[in-house]
Amino acid sequence: MFGLESLGGVGQAVELIGIVLVEAILLYVGYGALERYLGPKVTDALRGD
């Protein structure tokens, strides 16, 4: 999928850690934006406002 097979053991580990790190950053930013947009609306709906 990402061409990890062509690298050595250390290269595979470094690339995998990089991929996981980028994924974590994207999820953090995405969920943060989603919470900022939907958080007040959900809170208002739960309070009955």
Side-chain angles (χ1 to χ4, degrees):
M1 184 160 91
F2 290 105
L4 293 174
E5 299 81 21
S6 64
L7 298 172
V10 174
Q12 285 180 345
V14 169
E15 187 169 354
L16 184 59
I17 290 170
I19 290 168
V20 170
L21 182 62
V22 168
E23 182 181 359
I25 291 169
L26 290 174
L27 286 171
Y28 180 79
V29 170
Y31 282 131
L34 189 63
E35 192 277 329
R36 179 173 285 170
Y37 176 72
L38 290 178
K41 293 180 182 184
V42 171
T43 303
D44 290 342
L46 290 174
R47 289 183 181 164
D49 294 338

